[in-house]
Amino acid sequence: MALGGLQSVRDALILARHEQCISDTEFVLLFEYNLSKPLFPYWKFEFFDLDSWDDEECKIELRFSKSDLALLQRLLGIPEKITCQQGSICSGIEGLCIFLKRLAYPCRYPDMAIRFGRNPTEICLIFNEVLDLVYDAHHHRLESWNQPFLSPELLQNCADAVHDKGAPLENCFGFIDGTVRPIARPKYYQRQMYNGHKRVHSIKFQSVVLPNGLIANLAGPYEGKRHDSTMLRESGLLASLRQVAFHNNQPLCLYGDPAYPLGIHLQAPFRNRELTPEMMEFNKAMSTVRVSVEWMFGNITKYFSFVDFKRQMKVNLSAIGKIYCVAALLQNAHTCLYENIVSQTFQLQSPTINEYFW
């Protein structure tokens, strides 16, 4: 029986005893029988000790260097002691390692129990606790344009880097696209979650990527059937661009695929029935630089592969939208700390991690 089912049974037993439907003896026996039990004797394994991990292990299993974990814990706002709802306690650095380990690769909680010497149920609770802490403290960094690394001067630097790379547009500071994240086939809402283009049940996000390798804006999740133009309207991105996308009173713009409407702050390829050679050359040049947005989507699934494990992405059972948003935040942190293919391509320095988590 699932963990949630056992909890429901225990709640029903408490109510039944309160109503005197069962005796004390029956209550004790039934309550003990319905307690969640460890799948194996996890206490035979060593408890978590970060000192026993070398730097290479941390990079492979957690995606971050060992020397950067304490800094990441502080900037993410993870406290020194984490207390879960049912009373489990762990250190902040252990909670961060559990969190990163779970996201780095599709692994089961029992597999992680061997590594951390904890009950799989505890690991699940700790992961969800850290997930909520990070999302609540930092999700605004993917939603608000009021960030130091999104100032008009820095956006103009991005536009200059895109133009220097061969883009005909001189004021394009980033690229916009939607991403489809496959999920497990839901029991309900199948029509809403089905994406006819990719032919999978999914959720969708709208992402804005800068040439310095940062995901500047992430809107979602939306149902898999949503069109990119619908996400654009519901996200309110154009209204935000009308307020912030200027430098010296000159408009800056994003570039997207043909699904997006044309405007001062949003450009797309020429889509006439008959394209002139100049139009085709424009489309080709912009397509060459726009491929960076696909690189960033690939980096999220490369470094935090758990988001690509659709069998675990279950609507109403997992916080699938929150998990992807936090993975995008961690990808931005990874970009700030280490070399990134996008920033290397455009020869544009990413902000430091302290500047990002200001």
Side-chain angles (χ1 to χ4, degrees):
M1 184 178 292
L3 180 60
L6 289 177
Q7 183 63 55
S8 300
V9 172
R10 292 195 293 267
D11 292 342
L13 289 173
I14 294 173
L15 180 62
R17 183 65 195 97
H18 178 74
E19 298 293 334
Q20 298 184 347
C21 297
I22 58 176
S23 66
D24 289 342
T25 302
E26 291 172 327
F27 171 77
V28 171
L29 291 174
L30 291 172
F31 194 88
E32 183 177 354
Y33 180 78
N34 286 282
L35 286 174
S36 58
K37 299 175 178 61
L39 301 180
F40 52 86
Y42 60 91
W43 53 82
K44 292 184 179 180
F45 302 98
E46 295 183 1
F47 287 101
F48 172 79
D49 180 16
L50 185 59
D51 293 336
S52 65
W53 294 34
D54 60 36
D55 192 60
E56 194 62 27
E57 283 181 300
C58 290
K59 287 182 179 179
I60 293 174
E61 297 195 31
L62 308 179
R63 306 306 190 195
F64 290 90
S65 296
K66 183 177 180 179
S67 57
D68 294 324
L69 293 177
L71 173 63
L72 190 62
Q73 178 194 348
R74 178 175 63 82
L75 293 177
L76 290 178
I78 299 174
E80 290 299 320
K81 184 175 76 170
I82 297 173
T83 303
C84 299
Q85 187 176 8
Q86 67 17 305
S88 294
I89 296 175
C90 74
S91 67
I93 196 68
E94 181 183 3
L96 175 62
C97 291
I98 288 174
F99 180 62
L100 294 176
K101 172 68 175 176
R102 176 66 164 168
L103 290 178
Y105 195 77
C107 58
R108 303 177 305 160
Y109 288 122
D111 300 329
M112 295 175 62
I114 299 173
R115 193 67 160 120
F116 293 94
R118 283 184 178 270
N119 187 315
T121 303
E122 281 187 303
I123 295 177
C124 176
L125 292 168
I126 292 169
F127 171 82
N128 288 325
E129 188 72 24
V130 178
L131 176 68
D132 290 339
L133 284 171
V134 175
Y135 180 83
D136 293 343
H138 300 289
H139 71 92
H140 68 279
R141 302 187 190 282
L142 296 174
E143 299 173 0
S144 172
W145 288 87
N146 184 25
Q147 309 287 345
F149 52 86
L150 296 176
S151 66
E153 291 74 19
L154 293 179
L155 294 184
Q156 182 61 51
N157 290 341
C158 291
D160 293 339
V162 172
H163 182 61
D164 292 342
K165 197 61 183 176
L169 292 174
E170 298 182 1
N171 65 337
C172 174
F173 70 89
F175 307 95
I176 180 174
D177 199 5
T179 179
V180 177
R181 302 309 320 149
I183 62 173
R185 182 176 179 176
K187 185 176 182 180
Y188 307 105
Y189 320 115
Q190 291 191 25
R191 289 189 177 182
Q192 293 89 334
M193 308 308 289
Y194 187 76
N195 183 275
H197 178 61
K198 299 290 186 179
R199 297 185 178 181
V200 292
H201 293 92
S202 63
I203 57 176
K204 294 186 69 176
F205 292 86
Q206 174 185 275
S207 178
V208 174
V209 175
L210 303 182
N212 60 8
L214 285 183
I215 300 170
N217 187 266
L218 187 73
Y222 298 95
E223 299 95 332
K225 71 173 185 178
R226 296 292 182 183
H227 192 269
D228 286 356
S229 59
T230 303
M231 294 194 296
L232 177 67
R233 183 183 70 251
E234 295 186 358
S235 68
L237 176 63
L238 286 179
S240 298
L241 292 177
R242 295 188 189 105
Q243 297 178 1
V244 302
F246 290 92
H247 182 255
N248 293 334
N249 295 323
Q250 297 299 313
L252 302 173
C253 72
L254 296 172
Y255 185 82
D257 60 32
Y260 294 101
L262 293 175
I264 295 176
H265 299 290
L266 185 58
Q267 296 294 308
F270 288 102
R271 45 201 171 199
N272 302 6
R273 287 188 176 181
E274 296 183 3
L275 297 179
T276 66
E278 291 78 12
M279 291 178 178
M280 290 189 289
E281 185 63 29
F282 174 90
N283 288 353
K284 181 179 179 181
M286 291 304 301
S287 177
T288 300
V289 293
R290 182 183 169 273
V291 72
S292 62
V293 70
E294 303 295 341
W295 293 343
M296 289 311 302
F297 292 150
N299 275 354
I300 293 178
T301 56
K302 172 184 176 182
Y303 291 110
F304 305 102
S305 303
F306 181 70
V307 302
D308 208 28
F309 188 36
K310 75 173 188 177
R311 293 181 64 181
Q312 287 293 323
M313 300 292 112
K314 300 178 181 179
V315 176
N316 294 333
L317 292 178
S318 302
I320 54 179
K322 187 181 294 186
I323 288 173
Y324 189 82
C325 288
V326 170
L329 277 167
L330 291 174
Q331 177 55 46
N332 279 349
H334 198 275
T335 296
C336 294
L337 286 170
Y338 314 112
E339 293 184 350
N340 180 275
I341 185 174
V342 177
S343 60
Q344 287 178 338
T345 299
F346 289 96
Q347 298 181 355
L348 193 62
Q349 184 65 41
S350 305
T352 67
I353 193 168
N354 286 290
E355 291 171 341
Y356 184 75
F357 292 101
W358 61 286

